[in-house]
Amino acid sequence: MNLLRNRKALGLDLGQAAVKAVLLGGNGQSATLEGARVLDCRSEGIIDEEELSRELRPWLERNGWQSQEITVGIPQYLATTQISDFSTASQRSLEDLVAFETQQLAGLSEENFIYDYHAMPAAFGRELPMLIGICRESVVNDRAAPLLANGLRLADLSIAGTALAAAYLDLRPESNRGQAAHLLLDIGVENSTVAIVGGGNLLYSSSLNCGTDRFVQILARELGISAEEAEKEKSRLTINPAAPASPGMRAAAIFESELRSVVSQWQSEEQPDTVQLGLEKICLCGGGALIKGLAPLLAQKFECSSEILSIPNREGQPDPTLVIAYGLALQGVGLSAFNISLAPPQIRSRAHRRRRFPLLAAAVLLLAAITTVAGIRDYRRLENRQANLNRNLQLVEQSEQMIPELETMVAENQLLERLLLPYVEKGNRLRTLTEIIATLGVSRAEIIGDGSNGEFNDVWIVYLADEKSFHAGKEGIGNERDRREREPRRRPPLTPFSADRREDSARTDAGDSETELMTATEIQPWQSFVAAVYTASPEEDRFAQVRRLIEALNQTELLKDVDLLPGPDTVGREDVFRPWLELSSLQNMVYRRFTLRLPIKRIQ
């Protein structure tokens, strides 16, 4: 994420005579120099670390850097680095191997140690070269405590040697591609830091127990002057190989001897193939790199080229004292080639929280924005919903006012429907009666044919009425009062042929006691009919004709479930067949009578 990659870091190199600070900005891929400052402790009258810790924050505040994340360097002589070659292994076994190697480096010491490791690319015959850095926990705490006590934002601690190597690989990226060894030398006041790099790897790092103070001491002794005068004389000193007895050459010879010891130590630990490559270049930085003639002298002695490595200072002039501070700042922005962190866990976690704070702040702002937008959206939605509810409430109130009118209209409509019932039912009954007669005629014709063969009179339908009228015409069943209770306010039985006549009679003789009025709602549609049938059938199968008639009627679209009316239901209606008895006795064949119930399939 760009929010995490884009960050700034301040590299702080706390030297014996000066404090060097470099501010870098990183975007996750490259670093940009944003400022560099040097605090000269001697000119400011700072004589010990306690005074330095008190003056450090005000100095950073004057430069506007007091709120920057700080990465502090640990002098090389206070820490140990080692390059170990491990075979390809899993991450878990690799951590175990590093822990074991760290224990070997710590030896039998009872102190606690802080260590870290960094995997480097395979080179110089090493399959998995691992750079291990280790330092006593007490040293780290002593380095961090004054800074934390003064409220500085300490984010990390690293070793001066790895910072020097990282700065060189960033400033000279072409050195990553070569296989030759380059010796880096940062010359301080009392001590110097040595790092040997090659092929993008840190091959060796150590310290020299000599620095520019060695030159000052020899100058003061040889010239018989004070240390302050010798310090001024050092700035004017030029080392001349043609004058081997000069104080500068004697001091340089001592320095060369110390450096050769370090190189010999590296060669004794390095693989033979790498040692045969020799040194291709010596790069000088630190305050000692300003001594004129020192870099060419070392190049001559070690038979290689030389270079002075520097960083632009506040005035834009190259300053070799800022190189280690630059490497520390690279680790602060996450771009160091050798990321060795010796910060205690509490400092790491605190720095991690500070780096993630912008994400937290952004998340809070985003949540607040989303909540605000959601609140506004919900408020508008509720407003619209309230407006809709108000409109619906008005419609409901208007509807409530219309309910009495609608109820009156419904009552009037129901009254009109009841008034229309007699007329509608009269029309329906006439149509239904006509259809029943036609259906009976068609079904009879299907059974006996057209009558040309003399069988026309084998089936006679002598009576047809709706079932209600049929039962209403029964005689001798109960008294009149019971019949009236079963059928309240019943009019005389109505047949299709007498309906009009009885209606006329009701109109002309309204006072007739036999005429009973029926309300419109009591009029019910016809649901079934009763037909009286004579059939001429042989004795052995007297139900043959009526069975065929029933089957034919059940197959029509008008009737369903046609069947014989049970005997008990015909009791009291012997009058239906009485007029036809004499006519049947005149025939040669014996006629049998049946009463059929004809239910209507679709009731109108």
Side-chain angles (χ1 to χ4, degrees):
M1 297 177 62
N2 291 332
L3 188 61
L4 295 178
R5 292 181 178 178
N6 295 333
R7 66 188 190 195
K8 294 181 180 180
L10 183 67
L12 208 59
D13 181 16
L14 305 177
Q16 290 95 349
V19 176
K20 287 79 70 178
V22 173
L23 180 65
L24 291 183
N27 59 4
Q29 296 180 348
S30 60
T32 303
L33 180 63
E34 299 197 3
R37 304 286 188 274
V38 177
L39 174 63
D40 191 342
C41 297
R42 292 179 176 176
S43 63
E44 296 290 335
I46 301 173
I47 59 176
D48 55 23
E49 292 185 359
E50 184 177 353
E51 272 191 72
L52 176 61
S53 63
R54 288 198 303 267
E55 294 296 327
L56 190 57
R57 182 177 177 84
W59 176 68
L60 293 175
E61 288 178 350
R62 289 195 296 271
N63 291 285
W65 291 348
Q66 71 278 2
S67 61
Q68 298 295 335
E69 297 268 335
I70 298 176
T71 301
V72 176
I74 297 176
Q76 184 66 43
Y77 65 88
L78 294 177
T80 302
T81 56
Q82 178 170 318
I83 292 86
S84 300
D85 184 22
F86 298 129
S87 59
T88 304
S90 64
Q91 183 67 22
R92 182 176 181 85
S93 61
L94 184 60
E95 293 178 358
D96 294 339
L97 290 172
V98 171
F100 176 77
E101 195 72 18
T102 302
Q103 186 177 3
Q104 296 297 316
L105 291 174
L108 299 177
S109 175
E110 295 181 357
E111 291 194 57
N112 293 327
F113 287 82
I114 297 176
Y115 70 93
D116 194 14
Y117 63 94
H118 176 80
M120 298 184 295
F124 300 103
R126 295 185 175 98
E127 294 182 7
L128 187 60
M130 195 67 58
L131 174 62
I132 302 173
I134 182 173
C135 183
R136 293 193 304 274
E137 186 177 7
S138 59
V139 172
V140 174
N141 291 334
D142 291 343
R143 201 73 170 176
L147 302 177
L148 296 174
N150 284 276
L152 297 179
R153 302 179 68 178
L154 181 61
D156 204 355
L157 294 95
S158 189
I159 304 173
T162 58
L164 175 61
Y168 178 73
L169 294 184
D170 185 79
L171 296 172
R172 300 291 183 269
E174 66 276 4
S175 63
N176 292 325
R177 296 185 292 270
Q179 292 296 320
H182 295 180
L183 187 145
L184 314 177
L185 179 61
D186 183 88
I187 305 174
V189 176
E190 298 178 1
N191 296 277
S192 300
T193 301
V194 179
I196 300 176
V197 297
N201 285 5
L202 176 60
L203 303 178
Y204 184 79
S205 63
S206 182
S207 63
L208 296 180
N209 193 23
C210 65
T212 57
D213 268 2
R214 184 66 58 88
F215 288 87
V216 173
Q217 293 169 4
I218 293 177
L219 287 173
R221 185 177 64 249
E222 293 293 331
L223 301 178
I225 57 179
S226 65
E228 290 78 8
E229 294 174 343
E231 184 70 32
K232 296 177 182 178
E233 186 66 26
K234 182 192 70 174
S235 62
R236 296 188 294 269
L237 176 65
T238 300
I239 297 176
N240 185 7
S246 64
M249 279 298 297
R250 284 200 293 273
I254 297 173
F255 199 85
E256 177 200 350
S257 176
E258 293 282 345
L259 187 59
R260 283 196 181 277
S261 298
V262 171
V263 173
S264 299
Q265 180 67 26
W266 164 65
Q267 290 176 341
S268 65
E269 297 177 3
E270 189 58 73
Q271 299 184 16
D273 293 342
T274 306
V275 173
Q276 291 178 2
L277 297 175
L279 295 177
E280 185 181 56
K281 182 192 291 187
I282 294 179
C283 292
L284 269 62
C285 59
L290 299 175
I291 299 176
K292 301 179 184 65
L294 180 59
L297 176 65
L298 293 177
Q300 178 185 354
K301 296 296 184 180
F302 286 91
E303 299 179 351
C304 62
S305 61
S306 64
E307 178 188 4
I308 296 178
L309 198 62
S310 60
I311 302 294
N313 59 14
R314 186 174 187 177
E315 291 76 22
Q317 299 298 321
D319 189 346
T321 64
L322 299 171
V323 175
I324 289 182
Y326 182 86
L328 295 171
L330 282 175
Q331 178 153 327
V333 296
L335 295 174
S336 174
F338 310 105
N339 189 3
I340 297 294
S341 174
L342 297 181
Q346 61 271 21
I347 294 179
R348 292 188 190 183
S349 61
R350 191 180 307 164
H352 180 77
R353 289 195 299 271
R354 283 198 301 263
R355 290 168 186 166
R356 294 299 187 273
F357 180 77
L359 283 180
L360 177 61
V364 171
L365 291 176
L366 181 61
L367 179 61
I370 292 175
T371 304
T372 303
V373 171
I376 294 174
R377 184 190 60 188
D378 292 342
Y379 176 76
R380 291 181 177 176
R381 186 172 67 246
L382 290 175
E383 274 191 333
N384 295 333
R385 187 174 180 182
Q386 183 64 38
N388 292 332
L389 290 175
N390 291 336
R391 286 193 295 269
N392 292 337
L393 181 59
Q394 292 178 358
L395 293 176
V396 170
E397 291 175 352
Q398 295 175 1
S399 301
E400 287 180 350
Q401 296 174 1
M402 297 174 62
I403 288 176
E405 299 179 6
L406 292 174
E407 289 178 345
T408 302
M409 294 175 63
V410 169
E412 292 177 354
N413 188 39
Q414 291 176 348
L415 176 60
L416 293 175
E417 288 180 352
R418 287 195 296 269
L419 294 176
L420 287 174
L421 277 176
Y423 302 98
V424 174
E425 182 59 21
K426 181 177 180 180
N428 284 339
R429 288 184 174 185
L430 290 175
R431 186 181 69 249
T432 302
L433 183 61
T434 303
E435 292 177 353
I436 288 289
I437 294 173
T439 300
L440 289 172
V442 172
S443 299
R444 181 176 179 276
E446 289 179 359
I447 297 172
I448 65 174
D450 56 1
S452 59
N453 55 359
E455 296 180 355
F456 186 84
N457 295 326
D458 287 350
V459 177
W460 288 79
I461 302 174
V462 299
Y463 174 85
L464 179 64
D466 66 285
E467 188 173 2
K468 190 174 183 181
S469 298
F470 173 78
H471 291 295
K474 293 180 179 180
E475 298 178 355
I477 301 181
N479 54 29
E480 184 65 17
R481 183 176 178 179
D482 294 337
R483 187 172 64 84
R484 288 180 180 273
E485 289 179 355
R486 289 195 305 270
E487 297 183 8
R489 303 181 66 183
R490 179 179 300 280
R491 298 178 61 188
L494 179 66
T495 63
F497 305 103
S498 61
D500 293 338
R501 185 177 67 252
R502 290 190 178 179
E503 289 177 2
D504 294 339
S505 174
R507 288 193 298 267
T508 58
D509 191 10
D512 189 355
S513 61
E514 295 295 329
T515 303
E516 296 181 6
L517 297 179
M518 179 183 296
T519 63
T521 55
E522 292 179 350
I523 299 176
Q524 299 295 329
W526 282 342
Q527 297 184 356
S528 62
F529 282 77
V530 175
V533 180
Y534 273 109
T535 63
S537 301
E539 184 65 26
E540 59 274 9
D541 191 4
R542 58 179 181 172
F543 293 98
Q545 295 285 23
V546 74
R547 187 187 302 113
R548 294 173 59 192
L549 179 61
I550 289 173
E551 292 175 354
L553 291 173
N554 279 328
Q555 293 177 0
T556 62
E557 296 181 357
L558 182 62
L559 302 176
K560 66 174 182 177
D561 301 329
V562 177
D563 204 350
L564 294 175
L565 193 66
D569 290 343
T570 62
V571 175
R573 288 310 309 266
E574 290 79 4
D575 58 314
V576 172
F577 292 98
R578 189 176 297 120
W580 304 90
L581 294 177
E582 294 181 359
L583 179 62
S584 63
S585 62
L586 297 176
Q587 304 298 324
N588 295 327
M589 295 185 65
V590 178
Y591 285 84
R592 303 184 185 279
R593 60 185 182 183
F594 299 96
T595 305
L596 302 181
R597 185 175 180 273
L598 312 176
I600 299 174
K601 184 178 295 184
R602 290 190 303 273
I603 300 173
Q604 300 293 332

